[in-house]
Amino acid sequence: MADLTRPLPFRSCAGRLTSRMTLAIETNGLTRYFGDLCAVDRLDLRVEAGKFYGFLGPNGAGKSTTIKMLTGLLAPTQGTMRILGQDVGDIEVAREVKRRIGVVPEELALFDNLTAREYLTFIGRMYRLPKATVRDRREELLVMMGLDSEDKKLTLEYSHGMKKKLTLAAALIPNPDLLFLDEPFEGVDAVSSRVLRDTLKRCVQRGATVFLTSHVLEIVEKLCTDVGIIAEGKLVHQGTMDEIRQSGSLEERFLEAVGSDHIERQTLSWLEG
């Protein structure tokens, strides 16, 4: 039986980052409207290369909309973005940048009639990886995610947790310089979650950047080196975890940033007395 506690041995990606580039993500005035609703309001993000960045906010704050813009799935209404030091407003540049990023989106969109092995092969070829590289990484990822024993099952038959693990494997197969993870631990079992955390930390140690959204503040506090907090589409805090720890816990800073008055301190009538 494979050792599922052993992180996947990706090669270092630090060498692919240019020496002049210090920011993996830089946005200026990034804004997105849906009709009259301003979902993201003049966002100025600064994410240094090689950091584990936690992007936090209440439900509906604009986190997923931001990730969709940063990954090219949604066009901004206004503002500019630079990803991995490149201006992604240019279509050709954006296409090349996308080969250097991995994404776990909010909605898990898989091909129902493929097996996990077939799906990862497809994703690897989409990234134009050599066949041998695709094969080797695919097999390691299947073992790491505990999906190697499900090689005959179609993704249509997968549980939500299995689909999430397969999507995570697909995001990791290109050995990206930048990983966008939208609630990656949701529905993932404890063993796979530990393996994933160790793998992500190793990616960061070797020079990759991770941009993570999660409602589990304990995970963010353990993993992230930097944090941005968004509320009602606006960036209300951005700084390092060390700065936050000097003044209290991440939960306290989060509630302060989003407005603790939003918490209704009420009890159910039948629980009183």
Side-chain angles (χ1 to χ4, degrees):
M1 182 175 179
D3 181 5
L4 294 182
T5 63
R6 181 174 61 89
L8 191 67
F10 288 116
R11 72 180 187 279
S12 172
C13 52
R16 287 177 285 168
L17 300 174
T18 61
S19 59
R20 68 178 182 83
M21 188 187 71
T22 58
L23 295 178
I25 301 172
E26 180 182 7
T27 70
N28 291 288
L30 191 65
T31 302
R32 175 68 197 200
Y33 277 90
F34 294 99
D36 294 329
L37 172 66
C38 185
V40 175
D41 188 3
R42 293 167 292 177
L43 205 63
D44 294 334
L45 283 174
R46 302 289 184 271
V47 180
E48 291 184 27
K51 297 294 185 178
F52 206 131
Y53 190 94
F55 192 52
L56 308 178
N59 290 330
K63 301 186 300 298
S64 294
T65 299
T66 299
I67 285 184
K68 287 177 181 177
M69 288 191 286
L70 294 175
T71 57
L73 297 176
L74 191 64
T77 304
Q78 62 186 48
T80 61
M81 302 179 291
R82 293 182 68 85
I83 306 297
L84 295 173
Q86 304 297 317
D87 182 357
V88 291
D90 181 283
I91 295 177
E92 292 301 320
V93 171
R95 183 179 292 117
E96 289 304 311
V97 168
K98 286 180 181 180
R99 294 181 60 190
R100 300 170 60 195
I101 68 174
V103 184
V104 175
E106 181 183 25
E107 301 91 3
L108 302 181
L110 301 173
F111 294 110
D112 290 342
N113 293 317
L114 295 181
T115 65
R117 183 168 278 104
E118 290 169 339
Y119 180 72
L120 291 180
T121 300
F122 169 75
I123 295 298
R125 298 303 292 152
M126 286 290 289
Y127 275 99
R128 300 180 184 176
L129 297 174
K131 289 183 179 180
T133 301
V134 174
R135 182 188 63 244
D136 293 344
R137 292 184 184 177
R138 177 194 66 202
E139 296 307 313
E140 288 190 63
L141 284 163
L142 288 172
V143 172
M144 185 184 78
M145 294 297 179
L147 298 174
D148 54 318
S149 61
E150 306 288 348
D151 58 336
K152 302 299 183 183
K153 185 179 291 187
L154 301 179
T155 60
L156 175 67
E157 306 170 79
Y158 275 19
S159 67
H160 176 77
M162 292 170 67
K163 289 180 179 179
K164 178 60 69 75
K165 289 194 287 186
L166 180 55
T167 307
L168 289 165
L172 290 169
I173 201 168
N175 189 20
D177 290 321
L178 175 58
L179 263 170
F180 290 96
L181 307 177
D182 198 347
E183 295 291 345
F185 299 99
E186 181 186 19
V188 177
D189 62 84
V191 174
S192 296
S193 177
R194 173 61 182 271
V195 174
L196 173 63
R197 293 199 305 270
D198 290 346
T199 301
L200 293 176
K201 285 191 286 188
R202 190 172 185 185
C203 286
V204 171
Q205 289 169 357
R206 295 192 172 201
T209 307
V210 175
F211 188 90
L212 164 76
T213 74
S214 177
H215 286 115
V216 185
L217 297 184
E218 291 83 359
I219 288 179
V220 174
E221 196 158 12
K222 286 180 180 179
L223 291 178
C224 294
T225 56
D226 297 74
V227 172
I229 301 175
I230 186 174
E232 298 180 347
K234 297 179 181 291
L235 190 66
V236 294
H237 175 81
Q238 188 167 221
T240 68
M241 275 301 309
D242 288 339
E243 292 170 346
I244 290 175
R245 291 189 183 101
Q246 290 175 6
S247 59
S249 69
L250 177 59
E251 181 181 37
E252 292 169 341
R253 187 68 187 92
F254 176 79
L255 294 177
E256 177 186 333
V258 303
S260 57
D261 56 316
H262 292 177
I263 303 174
E264 297 182 6
R265 300 184 180 279
Q266 298 180 358
T267 60
L268 298 172
S269 60
W270 62 86
L271 297 180
E272 296 180 349

